[in-house]
Structure formats: C-alpha cells, structure tokens
Amino acid sequence: MSRMNIIYWSASGNTEAMANAIAEGAKAAGADVKLCQVSDIGADAALDCDLLALGCPAMGDEVLEESEFDPFFTQIEGRLSGRKVAIFGSYGWGDGQWMRDWQDRVIKAGGQLFRGEGLMVNEAPDDSGLAQCRSFGGEFAAQ
C-alpha cells in the first residue's frame, strides 16, 4: 500500500474540494492517505511518503499563493528529485500559466510529475470536475 500525502492551500474552498476528491479516489485505490493544509505540515513530514500530491490555486497574476504555499514549495523543491509528485489546483482567470510554471519547477527539480502535467479545474469543481479529481487520485495511487 502506498503512503500518499495530499497537501494543499485553498482560499475559496475550490482547491480544498479538489483535494478531498483526490483523497477519495486514492483511498478507493488502496492508498494510505494523509490530507492536510499546507499550514499544518512541515517539509520533513510532507516528504515522508511514497506519493506527494500538492494543490494550490492560481493567485494574482497566475502565480502560486505567495505567503504560505510558495514558501513551502520552495522549501521542498530541492528535495523532489526522484519523487513521484502530482500537482493540482483551481483557477478563475488566465490560461493556466501558473500551472505550466509549477510543472516546470517540479520537472527541473527532478520530480517525477504524474501524467507530465497538473490537474486544473476552472472555478468550483462541478460533478464532472470532482469525478476527474477522484480518477486523478486513484490513478496516482496506482503508481
């Protein structure tokens, strides 16, 4: 059984809903899942897993949230080499540049990015978006 940490930041609840659905899919696939907000976990504990899923919405000018999430990601970024990493988040504007930048950071750090790209959902995930998240979590757990 894989141990998966799902760590996220969410202001409006959209990315939190994605995280919860990803956790449901991963648990259904047999993973031992720890789900927590970024403010509730340190770098060492975050990396104590087989699979690492990180969630953050697009903020401002399509960037990661700057006060909590980006500093956390910067702290673990240099330790992603060889790790299986999935990234996800919601957005309300733009074309996904924050996700492309984040994907590049994971790959440049040597992380094994699940599917080669992150999962994005526009605004609040509807039933279809939640189903995508559950599938994403289940497939990631099967790694």
Side-chain angles (χ1 to χ4, degrees):
M1 176 185 327
S2 295
R3 292 178 306 125
M4 181 188 300
N5 285 347
I6 302 172
I7 302 160
Y8 68 93
W9 186 92
S10 186
S12 66
N14 296 343
T15 299
E16 180 177 19
M18 292 178 72
N20 286 325
I22 289 167
E24 289 173 20
K27 287 176 184 176
D32 177 17
V33 176
K34 179 176 184 176
L35 174 69
C36 63
Q37 294 181 26
V38 70
S39 60
D40 295 334
I41 193 165
D44 289 338
L47 296 170
D48 184 23
C49 61
D50 304 308
L51 305 167
L52 179 62
L54 302 168
C56 185
M59 300 296 291
D61 191 24
E62 285 209 78
V63 296
L64 295 173
E65 191 278 328
E66 296 173 299
S67 66
E68 289 184 76
F69 194 87
D70 192 52
F72 168 80
F73 184 73
T74 299
Q75 190 176 22
I76 66 169
E77 191 169 2
R79 297 168 63 186
L80 294 179
S81 183
R83 292 186 178 274
K84 295 178 180 178
V85 180
I87 58 177
F88 63 94
S90 62
Y91 69 102
W93 60 89
D95 68 352
Q97 186 61 48
W98 109 101
M99 185 61 73
R100 288 190 296 277
D101 292 342
W102 194 10
Q103 291 166 177
D104 288 346
R105 287 176 70 180
V106 170
I107 292 167
K108 285 178 185 172
Q112 298 174 13
L113 183 61
F114 177 60
R115 292 186 177 172
E117 64 183 10
L119 175 64
M120 298 186 297
V121 171
N122 186 258
E123 301 291 350
D126 58 12
D127 289 343
S128 173
L130 291 172
Q132 283 183 306
C133 292
R134 286 185 201 96
S135 176
F136 185 83
E139 291 173 25
F140 188 47
Q143 295 283 299

